[in-house]
Amino acid sequence: MAKVNGAEQMEDFAKLLEEFDNGGDENTSIIDGIIVDIVNDEVLVDIKDKTEGVLNIDEITKDNKLIFNKGDSIKVAIIGSSAGRKRLSYKKAIRKEKTLNFIAQYDENTDYPAFEVRCISSNSNGFNVIDANEVEYFLPKSQNITKDRNLNGKKFKVKILKVNSDNVIVSRKKVSDEERKRKKELIDSIINGEQIKDGVVRKITSYGMFVDIGGIDGLVHYSEISYKGPVNPSSLYKEGDSVKVKIVNYDENKKHISLSIKSALNDPWEEIKDNLEVGDVLKVVVSNIENYGAFVDLGNDIEGFLHISEISWDKNIKNPKEYLKEGQEIEVEVIEIDFEQRRLRVSLRTLLPKPFDEFTTNFNEGDVVEGVVSTITNFGAFVKIGNIDGLLHNDDISWERAVSAKDSFKAGDSLKVKIRKIDPINSKISLSIKHLEESPVSLYLKEHKIGDIVEGKVSDIKDFGIFVSLSDNVDGFIKKEDLSDTDVQVGDSIKAALVNAKNGKIRLSVKRMDILKTREDLDKINSNDKITIGDIIKDQLN
């Protein structure tokens, strides 16, 4: 150990020695005695004093057997007095003997490393401690690094502070000071040296892992492990693993070192910058599945995102797990790359056949097909035919009025429908159930032709005309200008001429009926060829 110099340090040692001297039972010598008697738990020892000294029988008992008997010589140390007799200790004498042997071999020019001791007793000035070989030392309270006075039985490291002729003073404070200095020097060398270090994983937590980089621990946050983004460290590493890390920050105040594993690697985004573009097809592995999509591994510490809407042409996917599983290898197309934000979006469905194209190959307008109700809305129902949904509008369910899909079907129902329209531009399909049978209007027109006088009841009156119910689910319409001077109310019977029938709609006219009636009357009573029906109609119109 290096010699202590300086008046101030000499004063400190003087204080330490004073604490030691005031400790009481440390300044004891070893006495050779003879056991003269053993009474109950007391051992009487002749120590060449006026009276025998007293030794507790526990001091010479091992495994419930005495290691000394009456008449045996024994080394003891005086540790106090009681009832006029000296209190003795065999164990303290042995420790004292070992301490003296240590002092005899001690080299003051050697810097002895810190070693572990255990506290066996204490007094007002400090603590008595022993090492693994039961060499006894004194730790002054000024050299303890905590305010805790209850150190009995506790283990800690100390360094030798001062060696006297019959005692050794140790210090916890010196261990702490030297460790602090060592760490500072080590941190300085780490911070100022190479930024990429070899480290060993010491502890893994939910927020990252602590890595030893040559005696100092640094934290690798879970966001600094992979270029893929935040990851669970325990899924990639275990304690004891060797890793390369880069120092990314050092907090001088907190003495915290922040490390990064991904920064110690080549940036994969820079590597793919000139080799990957939108439209490229890649083989990837599904690495993680969420409700909103899946993450796929490109194999070079880059992950792409496959949104649920890009998995299939089916718009009713509830969960990606219906189509994918973790570890599955798939081919995807790159649909978006943002190198600045380090974001990559891919699509699976763009590489799959379009269901609409497949549908138009197999079906035509007018075909009758079987389908299954997939979704019901306020305006109708979507019916799945193969891999595509067609719309069955409420108006196309029945020729009867006010029929809705909500009241007629439920999801999963099988339906026979007719393909009414295929819209290739908007990829839409219109379906119908009512057109599976002939419309009531068509049936009505088979019995009534243009020019016939028909009769019905007024069902509704509007500013622009009136609606007339001709039979079940068959309505006709009379424009206001075709009503003549007829004054009607809802429910009134009315006669009119059938003047037009297009797109399932029937137009009627009261005025035309009047003209037709006039022509019939004239045909019956007029025999004068000079006056024609055309002249009469012309007069009526004027």
Side-chain angles (χ1 to χ4, degrees), residues 293-480:
F295 292 92
V296 295
D297 189 352
L298 276 64
N300 56 347
D301 210 26
I302 293 180
E303 273 190 333
F305 179 56
L306 176 62
H307 191 266
I308 189 171
S309 63
E310 293 295 336
I311 293 175
S312 169
W313 292 104
D314 185 355
K315 297 179 181 179
N316 298 311
I317 298 179
K318 298 296 187 295
N319 192 304
K321 290 182 179 179
E322 297 173 10
Y323 289 81
L324 302 171
K325 60 183 179 181
E326 291 184 9
Q328 180 181 352
E329 186 177 75
I330 57 175
E331 283 194 344
V332 294
E333 181 182 357
V334 178
I335 58 174
E336 180 187 345
I337 307 176
D338 188 335
F339 289 104
E340 185 175 339
Q341 298 295 325
R342 296 173 181 266
R343 184 171 59 201
L344 176 70
R345 291 183 62 238
V346 297
S347 174
L348 174 61
R349 70 169 185 162
T350 55
L351 300 181
L352 303 175
K354 289 186 178 180
F356 188 84
D357 294 341
E358 186 179 352
F359 183 89
T360 56
T361 301
N362 297 325
F363 301 102
N364 299 301
E365 290 182 357
D367 287 353
V368 177
V369 296
E370 293 278 348
V372 177
V373 176
S374 57
T375 309
I376 295 177
T377 69
N378 290 328
F379 52 84
F382 287 96
V383 180
K384 184 177 286 298
I385 303 168
N387 293 320
I388 195 167
D389 283 348
L391 174 62
L392 174 61
H393 200 277
N394 286 336
D395 292 341
D396 288 315
I397 294 174
S398 173
W399 293 110
E400 295 183 7
R401 300 178 181 87
V403 176
S404 70
K406 280 191 172 182
D407 297 330
S408 305
F409 315 117
K410 65 180 183 297
D413 284 353
S414 295
L415 300 177
K416 181 183 286 187
V417 293
K418 187 174 186 178
I419 301 173
R420 287 275 290 157
K421 184 179 180 182
I422 298 176
D423 181 354
I425 297 176
N426 297 304
S427 299
K428 291 183 178 179
I429 299 167
S430 299
L431 307 174
S432 175
I433 291 178
K434 73 180 185 180
H435 286 94
L436 292 173
E437 58 185 26
E438 197 168 3
S439 72
V441 171
S442 297
L443 294 173
Y444 184 84
L445 291 175
K446 285 183 178 181
E447 299 179 2
H448 304 83
K449 62 182 182 298
I450 302 300
D452 284 358
I453 306 292
V454 297
E455 185 176 1
K457 287 190 176 182
V458 177
S459 59
D460 197 8
I461 298 175
K462 302 294 183 183
D463 292 338
F464 49 85
I466 66 172
F467 290 92
V468 179
S469 176
L470 299 174
S471 67
D472 289 343
N473 300 312
V474 179
D475 286 336
F477 177 66
I478 305 174
K479 288 184 177 181
K480 186 177 182 180

Side-chain angles (χ1 to χ4, degrees), residues 65-238:
K65 293 182 179 180
L66 293 175
I67 57 177
F68 292 96
N69 292 294
K70 183 177 178 181
D72 288 348
S73 297
I74 186 172
K75 294 181 183 295
V76 294
I78 299 172
I79 58 174
S81 61
S82 176
R85 290 181 182 272
K86 296 288 192 302
R87 289 191 299 111
L88 309 176
S89 172
Y90 166 70
K91 291 181 178 180
K92 177 170 278 295
I94 297 303
R95 292 197 299 268
K96 188 71 174 182
E97 189 174 58
K98 290 182 177 181
T99 300
L100 293 174
N101 289 336
F102 175 82
I103 293 171
Q105 299 175 24
Y106 177 74
D107 181 5
E108 65 175 9
N109 294 315
T110 300
D111 185 11
Y112 290 86
F115 55 94
E116 188 176 71
V117 296
R118 176 172 59 87
C119 181
I120 57 172
S121 64
S122 63
N123 54 51
S124 59
N125 292 294
F127 309 88
N128 298 315
V129 298
I130 58 173
D131 65 13
N133 297 316
E134 293 197 345
V135 176
E136 189 167 351
Y137 311 88
F138 180 65
L139 171 65
K141 66 179 181 180
S142 61
Q143 293 299 308
N144 189 25
I145 58 175
T146 68
K147 294 182 179 180
D148 185 8
R149 293 289 300 168
N150 184 23
L151 296 182
N152 285 352
K154 293 182 180 179
K155 295 180 179 180
F156 42 83
K157 285 190 174 183
V158 295
K159 285 203 74 173
I160 295 172
L161 192 62
K162 178 68 175 176
V163 175
N164 299 310
S165 60
D166 63 349
N167 55 61
V168 182
I169 300 174
V170 293
S171 170
R172 292 183 75 185
K173 186 173 181 294
K174 187 174 183 181
V175 175
S176 177
D177 290 344
E178 289 185 359
E179 180 65 17
R180 190 180 298 111
K181 181 181 178 182
R182 185 190 71 83
K183 284 188 175 182
K184 183 179 184 307
E185 292 173 350
L186 183 56
I187 289 173
D188 288 343
S189 67
I190 289 173
I191 297 300
N192 297 323
E194 290 292 329
Q195 291 297 295
I196 296 180
K197 305 287 183 182
D198 290 319
V200 177
V201 178
R202 288 191 62 249
K203 184 179 181 183
I204 297 176
T205 70
S206 59
Y207 53 85
M209 56 190 189
F210 291 93
V211 176
D212 182 345
I213 49 173
I216 299 294
D217 284 353
L219 174 65
V220 180
H221 192 263
Y222 66 81
S223 63
E224 288 295 329
I225 293 175
S226 170
Y227 281 100
K228 296 176 184 178
V231 297
N232 181 359
S234 61
S235 66
L236 300 174
Y237 297 97
K238 63 182 183 297

Side-chain angles (χ1 to χ4, degrees), residues 516-529:
L516 292 175
K517 282 185 176 182
T518 300
R519 185 177 65 181
E520 289 176 2
D521 291 342
L522 287 174
D523 285 343
K524 290 179 181 179
I525 65 174
N526 189 2
S527 59
N528 189 348
D529 293 338

